[in-house]
Amino acid sequence: MTEPAEFVTRRLHADGQDQARVGDQSRGWDQGREAAFHADQRRRRVRRLSVGAVAALALAGVTAWLVAAPEGRPEGRLYAAQLDEQAWPDEWPATTGLPLRGSPARTWATEKDELPLPAATAVGSIPKEKVADGLRRARDFLVAANLDPEVLQGAWPAEAMELLDPQQPARAELTEHLREPGLPDADPTELFTRFDPARLTPARGGIRVRGRMAFEAGGAPGQISIHADYTFVYAVRRVAPRPEPGPAPGTEEVARVVVRRQLVLLYAASDSPGVTAGKLIPAGYRRQLGNHDCGTVDGFVHPYFSREAAAAERPWPVVDPYDDSKDIPDGRPSCTVPSRT
């Protein structure tokens, strides 16, 4: 085991004057080497700090230049390619790499998460178990109409339609709207979110949802009224005729559309004339679509990509699509120009 330095010094002193001089010289050499080591460490720290400061200033300068640079300049795209996408300006469109970059919806639930429900309680003569069943069916309808992968890809919303009461005219009307969509009132986007599979497909990791649900006694005995207010965010890719180029080389742009829905669904706990127990009746529904072409009514949602949005005439109100603090205004138009997506 190595002896402490003070013990070594004492032993050298006891052995004679020459050995003491050797100890003094050894300590002096160690002290000099230690001083040189600390000086070198200080120089290294200063150099690291300088390099880090220069890098930070350079990144800030490039980012500021990107904000001020015209979108069409190829130099801007080259600079952007050198930066992490998180550092891109908000004005630059999102890509398949980060389809929800800059969107508050990135922390919301995904399409794979189960939407939470309010705690069920008995309503009048309707037991708690029946109320819970009604809430689950309302959630199933929202998911089947707005999050089912096949429906999003343009398929017929069979599961959602099956949840609706076949004795009620609303189901027959929606069926007709799906078969023959058109203005002014036969627009399937009233209740269903579907994209034209020949043109668009959802981007991986680009779907989010947030909302709330409440219930109360319905207008008829044995019936509850379920109120749902949900906002769905979709980032979609272009599949035809080719992918949409992103703002930097090697990137692909996604278009984001925000769909907010407010629904009133009636649920009957038992059969009655013209009403089927366990089925839903859409008694009221409003929707607000941010970044959708309301001039095209073919049963699909048509979001604008950045170049299309810049060239299009969009005579609709500018709205924050994530603000759900107020009810959706009644009447048309249901389209809005989003202040952010």
Side-chain angles (χ1 to χ4, degrees):
M1 182 175 65
T2 304
E3 294 178 327
E6 58 178 347
F7 292 159
V8 173
T9 303
R10 290 173 184 168
R11 188 168 50 117
L12 288 172
H13 183 73
D15 289 344
Q17 200 70 21
D18 290 340
Q19 289 179 323
R21 281 197 300 270
V22 171
D24 290 341
Q25 291 171 358
S26 175
R27 286 196 305 277
W29 184 82
D30 286 342
Q31 291 170 355
R33 183 172 63 176
E34 183 177 4
F37 172 77
H38 287 303
D40 181 65
Q41 289 292 93
R42 284 194 296 272
R43 284 194 298 271
R44 289 175 182 270
R45 281 197 298 271
V46 170
R47 187 160 57 247
R48 283 197 301 268
L49 290 171
S50 300
V51 171
V54 169
L57 287 172
L59 178 59
V62 171
T63 302
W65 185 88
L66 281 171
V67 173
E71 261 188 38
R73 288 184 62 171
E75 295 92 338
R77 293 194 294 272
L78 291 174
Y79 270 110
Q82 305 303 315
L83 295 176
D84 185 278
E85 228 173 297
Q86 294 284 10
W88 288 7
D90 290 341
E91 292 79 7
W92 287 61
T95 72
T96 53
L98 290 174
L100 294 168
R101 178 180 59 82
S103 169
R106 64 187 181 277
T107 60
W108 295 4
T110 72
E111 74 275 23
K112 297 178 182 178
D113 295 328
E114 188 172 71
L115 302 181
L117 294 175
T121 58
V123 175
S125 61
I126 306 174
K128 171 182 175 181
E129 293 74 20
K130 288 290 186 178
V131 173
D133 181 63
L135 294 173
R136 284 193 299 269
R137 288 174 182 267
R139 177 175 62 191
D140 291 345
F141 179 82
L142 285 164
V143 171
N146 298 280
L147 295 173
D148 182 277
E150 294 184 2
V151 172
L152 291 177
Q153 292 281 61
W156 184 273
E159 185 177 341
M161 295 296 288
E162 181 62 27
L163 289 163
L164 301 181
D165 192 336
Q167 298 190 69
Q168 292 292 313
R171 176 165 164 173
E173 289 174 4
L174 288 169
T175 299
E176 190 65 26
H177 294 178
L178 285 161
R179 287 175 177 164
E180 296 184 12
L183 289 174
D185 297 316
D187 186 354
T189 64
E190 293 166 326
L191 279 174
F192 308 108
T193 304
R194 302 187 303 157
F195 299 99
D196 183 352
R199 296 181 59 249
L200 301 169
T201 187
R204 173 179 287 187
I207 299 176
R208 294 292 188 275
V209 57
R210 182 184 70 175
R212 53 191 178 270
M213 191 180 293
F215 62 94
E216 61 183 356
Q223 191 180 73
I224 61 171
S225 177
I226 301 170
H227 299 257
D229 187 346
Y230 284 82
T231 300
F232 303 87
V233 180
Y234 309 90
V236 296
R237 301 171 48 222
R238 194 192 296 282
V239 296
R242 58 184 176 277
E244 185 75 8
T251 63
E252 180 185 344
E253 181 181 337
V254 296
R256 285 203 299 246
V257 61
V258 183
V259 180
R260 183 184 173 199
R261 300 195 182 279
Q262 288 186 307
L263 290 81
V264 178
L265 299 169
L266 301 178
Y267 170 85
S270 58
D271 288 332
S272 62
V275 175
T276 306
K279 296 294 185 178
L280 301 171
I281 303 171
Y285 40 89
R286 300 177 185 178
R287 88 273 201 203
Q288 180 175 281
L289 293 89
N291 194 37
H292 161 69
D293 178 11
C294 261
T296 302
V297 180
D298 57 3
F300 301 122
V301 176
H302 291 280
Y304 291 99
F305 287 81
S306 60
R307 290 188 300 176
E308 295 169 336
E313 292 186 11
R314 297 187 289 172
W316 306 303
V318 177
V319 172
D320 181 353
Y322 299 102
D323 182 6
D324 60 0
S325 61
K326 299 178 181 178
D327 285 342
I328 299 172
D330 195 9
R332 299 181 186 278
S334 60
C335 276
T336 63
V337 178
S339 60
R340 54 178 179 155
T341 59

